[in-house]
Amino acid sequence: MIVLQFLTSTYYNLYTVYGIDFRKRVIAYKNSGHSKQETCKVFGSSRNTLYLWEKQLEATGTLEIAP
């Protein structure tokens, strides 16, 4: 039962959707001179997620959540 509960909560956390305000705060923090590693530690997101947000911002000019 404990293993199933752990797997379920882990699975749920893989698909966490971050709001636009949160994304903007993370990017602003990173752009204010902090490293990606430090930024991700402070906000609890992965470096891959931060990389994707930066790439999206550069390509589209927005951090809107894709449908």
Side-chain angles (χ1 to χ4, degrees), residues 13-31 36 39-66:
N13 288 336
L14 289 174
Y15 297 100
T16 302
V17 177
Y18 296 102
I20 296 167
D21 290 336
F22 179 79
R23 292 172 180 219
K24 287 179 181 179
R25 281 185 305 193
V26 172
I27 294 293
Y29 186 85
K30 164 46 176 85
N31 290 342
K36 285 183 183 178
T39 301
C40 293
K41 274 186 177 181
V42 168
F43 289 95
S45 60
S46 71
R47 281 184 282 177
N48 186 54
T49 298
L50 178 56
Y51 170 77
L52 292 174
W53 291 346
E54 288 179 319
K55 188 175 176 182
Q56 177 185 347
L57 185 60
E58 183 179 317
T60 66
T62 183
L63 290 170
E64 294 290 328
I65 299 169

Side-chain angles (χ1 to χ4, degrees), residues 1-10:
M1 185 70 139
I2 293 173
V3 173
L4 180 59
Q5 190 175 27
F6 172 75
L7 291 175
T8 304
S9 64
T10 302

